[in-house]
Amino acid sequence: MNLVCLDLEGVLVPEIWIAFSEATGIGELRRTTRDEPDYDKLMNFRIDILKKNNLKLADIKRVISGMEPLSGALEFANALRENFQLVILSDTFEQFAKPLMAKLSYPSLFCNTLEIAKDGTVTGYRLRQQNGKREAVKAFKSMNMRVFAAGDSFNDLAMIREADGGCLFRAPEQIKKDCSDLICTESFDDLQRKIEEFFICL
């Protein structure tokens, strides 16, 4: 069975924290996994900013409700599902994901969970598992699935390298420079071609 594993933010939908940064005017929240490879450091930084500004989960969800998939993303995902299984491996949170998954026709999603106080304050987060993207790919491979993975951030590199095949998608210049051995595609058409070429050649 042929399986495609994709990151969510920056690949199929805009970066949630950047959208929230723009909505609140808090520039520090623009920092994402494209900039910071240490996910724990990044999340603790975000949670601290939310607390300092008295921002709650409802404030973030209000912004997410107005977000749309990237141009062409839904058509791309639907085209993939005609020939392959599709799973989204993301470091987003289940509390964020529902409206975005609805707009992508509900692909399978593996993600993390926020810890929320009774008043809606974000107090922490729980990973689905350590190195969750890579471990998911390893598990799929153990079931004799052939896996192609693509993403745009530091936290996608392990799953791309663990997969049978993979590439970067619209990655920032520093990641492309640091990972010059990885192909980087810039459009959904190019990414779809890479996926189809990979599975045809197996």
Side-chain angles (χ1 to χ4, degrees):
M1 181 178 289
N2 297 330
L3 174 67
V4 179
C5 294
L6 298 178
D7 180 33
L8 179 64
E9 295 178 59
V11 176
L12 297 176
V13 304
E15 293 280 354
I16 290 170
W17 290 99
I18 290 178
F20 190 58
S21 170
E22 292 172 352
T24 59
I26 302 172
E28 295 95 329
L29 287 174
R30 290 187 62 85
R31 192 164 182 79
T32 71
T33 52
R34 292 164 63 97
D35 312 297
E36 175 55 66
D38 187 329
Y39 188 71
D40 187 61
K41 179 180 177 181
L42 177 62
M43 278 307 303
N44 287 326
F45 173 74
R46 288 166 168 169
I47 291 169
D48 186 53
I49 291 175
L50 294 178
K51 289 178 181 176
K52 286 179 179 177
N53 290 274
N54 195 32
L55 293 165
K56 308 293 178 67
L57 175 61
D59 299 307
I60 304 173
K61 292 175 76 171
R62 195 174 301 113
V63 173
I64 294 171
S65 68
M67 294 174 63
E68 296 293 333
L70 293 170
S71 178
L74 175 59
E75 294 79 4
F76 166 70
N78 287 341
L80 284 184
R81 284 187 286 196
E82 290 181 9
N83 298 300
F84 314 110
Q85 298 299 308
L86 173 63
V87 170
I88 309 302
L89 299 180
S90 174
D91 279 333
T92 193
F93 303 96
E94 58 182 336
Q95 292 93 337
F96 291 179
K98 188 173 182 179
L100 297 171
M101 293 301 98
K103 293 173 182 179
L104 289 168
S105 298
Y106 293 105
S108 297
L109 170 69
F110 292 71
C111 64
N112 302 317
T113 303
L114 288 171
E115 295 174 344
I116 308 295
K118 290 182 179 180
D119 68 351
T121 299
V122 180
T123 59
Y125 71 99
R126 295 193 306 275
L127 296 178
R128 183 177 55 79
Q129 69 180 130
Q130 288 292 330
N131 302 310
K133 294 186 180 190
R134 183 185 68 192
E135 293 303 315
V137 170
K138 287 173 67 176
F140 292 137
K141 289 169 62 180
S142 76
M143 294 184 283
N144 292 323
M145 292 184 175
R146 293 168 290 185
V147 181
F148 186 100
D152 68 326
S153 300
F154 283 110
N155 63 336
D156 298 314
L157 297 176
M159 78 165 178
I160 292 171
R161 295 191 186 283
E162 180 64 38
D164 299 297
C167 67
L168 296 166
F169 179 72
R170 296 177 180 170
E173 290 303 318
Q174 188 59 53
I175 293 179
K176 288 193 283 188
K177 182 179 178 181
D178 292 345
C179 305
S180 58
D181 59 310
L182 295 177
I183 294 169
C184 186
T185 55
E186 300 294 337
S187 72
F188 289 123
D189 286 345
D190 285 345
L191 180 54
Q192 185 169 346
R193 273 193 292 272
K194 290 295 180 188
I195 293 168
E196 290 173 350
E197 289 169 359
F198 171 75
F199 286 122
I200 288 171
C201 291
L202 286 178

